[in-house]
Amino acid sequence: MTAHSHFTVGIVGLGLIGGSMARSFAAEGHRVLATDALPCTLSKAITDGVVCAELTDQTVPLCDLLLLAVYPAAAIESLRRLAPYIRKDAVAIDLCGTKRDVCRACFEIANESGFTFIGGHPMAGTQFSGYENSRAGLFEGAPMVLVLPDGESENARVRAEALLAPIHFGSFAVTTAEAHDRVIAFTSQLAHVVSNAYVKSPMAQIHHGFSAGSYRDLTRVAWLNEKMWCELFLENRDFLTEEIEHIITALGAYKKALDKNDAKALEDLLREGRLAKEAADKNGDDI
């Protein structure tokens, strides 16, 4: 299969991620079959011309690519249920925000059934959720992280990049499930926790007229889907609690300097933070 040939994509879940994938594939002329927990969402996607028909046990064998765009536990259950109908030459990719539990279970399911499974995490999104906020081009230029099966990693990567070419990712990065989850605890999950906690200050309700870019930047992801993020946080609780402990320790040092009216200590802390940011920027933002 070449990056330019048309093929059939099956998508489980038509929220922000799955809906945006569906729109992107459809815009490139590929056939999209899909299913969603809400029948009205599937109907809307069909009416929009984004989805051709429902993804069912009977239509799964038509799919060259199957995308699991639901929460981790649901992704595992969906793949387990659909596995008997997936063609041996097809590829299944999950799009979940954590990788260890999903990859552990789904690699096993794929091995037993004879098709290829690849762990995936598109590094793009918004603070809004649902099909109504999905759009073609959401992932254009964004990194795509892959966790490849043992023993066939190079072939699996080539196939994944060819099948995902219509999405126009900016880059593909290969990692392990554990390395992914450790890094994502810092780059994404901690940011959501801090943002969500930050707006609990009483000042959040009376600050209007006194805020600018820094407030908007820090609070953007406080507006989150609590059901999804709760599942992701709990699945990654070991690495996330480590990161929370790091930031609590760091904040404690700032508080101590302020409590003691210690200008030297405070200035040193601020300088350390600035230099850490400069060093991090030099290393780049990709996983």
Side-chain angles (χ1 to χ4, degrees), residues 85-101:
Y85 312 104
I86 299 173
R87 294 202 321 261
K88 307 300 184 192
D89 63 341
V91 174
I93 302 176
D94 85 281
L95 305 174
C96 301
T98 54
K99 296 269 70 80
R100 282 177 293 173
D101 288 356

Side-chain angles (χ1 to χ4, degrees), residues 116-128:
T116 298
F117 172 80
I118 297 170
H121 188 184
M123 303 304 295
T126 74
Q127 67 269 40
F128 305 110

Side-chain angles (χ1 to χ4, degrees), residues 221-279:
V221 293
W223 196 344
L224 48 70
N225 179 332
E226 60 269 19
K227 181 176 175 60
M228 178 185 76
W229 285 102
C230 178
E231 182 172 333
L232 294 174
F233 290 165
L234 289 175
E235 289 203 5
N236 210 31
R237 60 188 178 276
D238 51 351
F239 292 145
L240 180 55
T241 53
E242 280 185 27
E243 294 302 330
I244 292 174
E245 286 170 1
H246 287 321
I247 199 166
I248 288 173
T249 299
L251 289 172
Y254 290 99
K255 184 179 185 301
K256 181 178 179 181
L258 290 166
D259 288 343
K260 292 187 173 182
N261 196 28
D262 189 337
K264 176 65 169 59
L266 183 57
E267 187 175 321
D268 287 345
L269 290 168
L270 295 170
R271 181 183 300 106
E272 288 171 5
R274 175 175 59 79
L275 294 175
K277 171 61 174 170
E278 290 177 4

Side-chain angles (χ1 to χ4, degrees), residues 133-151:
N133 291 303
S134 65
R135 61 179 176 84
L138 177 65
F139 308 107
E140 187 167 349
M144 176 63 171
V145 179
L146 302 175
V147 178
L148 304 176
D150 293 335

Side-chain angles (χ1 to χ4, degrees), residues 64-224:
D64 302 287
L65 172 64
L66 180 68
L67 297 176
L68 306 172
V70 288
Y71 303 164
I76 295 169
E77 179 54 36
S78 295
L79 191 67
R80 181 174 288 116
R81 189 182 67 77
L82 297 175
Y85 312 104
I86 299 173
R87 294 202 321 261
K88 307 300 184 192
D89 63 341
V91 174
I93 302 176
D94 85 281
L95 305 174
C96 301
T98 54
K99 296 269 70 80
R100 282 177 293 173
D101 288 356
V102 171
C103 288
R104 187 181 303 113
C106 291
F107 280 137
E108 182 177 340
I109 294 168
N111 286 337
E112 290 174 355
S113 299
F115 60 86
T116 298
F117 172 80
I118 297 170
H121 188 184
M123 303 304 295
T126 74
Q127 67 269 40
F128 305 110
S129 60
Y131 176 77
E132 62 274 15
N133 291 303
S134 65
R135 61 179 176 84
L138 177 65
F139 308 107
E140 187 167 349
M144 176 63 171
V145 179
L146 302 175
V147 178
L148 304 176
D150 293 335
E152 53 172 313
S153 58
E154 186 55 36
N155 179 55
R157 176 172 183 158
V158 170
R159 294 179 70 191
E161 291 189 13
L163 288 165
L164 294 172
I167 306 301
H168 302 293
F169 285 111
S171 63
F172 288 88
V174 175
T175 186
T176 65
E178 181 166 351
H180 169 277
D181 287 0
R182 180 176 290 281
V183 175
I184 219 70
F186 171 72
T187 61
S188 176
Q189 294 186 338
L190 181 65
H192 282 77
V193 169
V194 171
S195 181
N196 197 260
Y198 175 75
V199 295
K200 292 179 180 178
S201 167
M203 281 295 130
Q205 306 306 318
I206 60 175
H207 75 277
H208 304 288
F210 292 84
S211 60
S214 54
Y215 173 82
R216 290 193 299 270
D217 291 345
L218 188 51
T219 60
R220 181 179 67 83
V221 293
W223 196 344
L224 48 70

Side-chain angles (χ1 to χ4, degrees), residues 277-285:
K277 171 61 174 170
E278 290 177 4
D281 286 353
K282 288 178 182 177
N283 291 331
D285 293 329

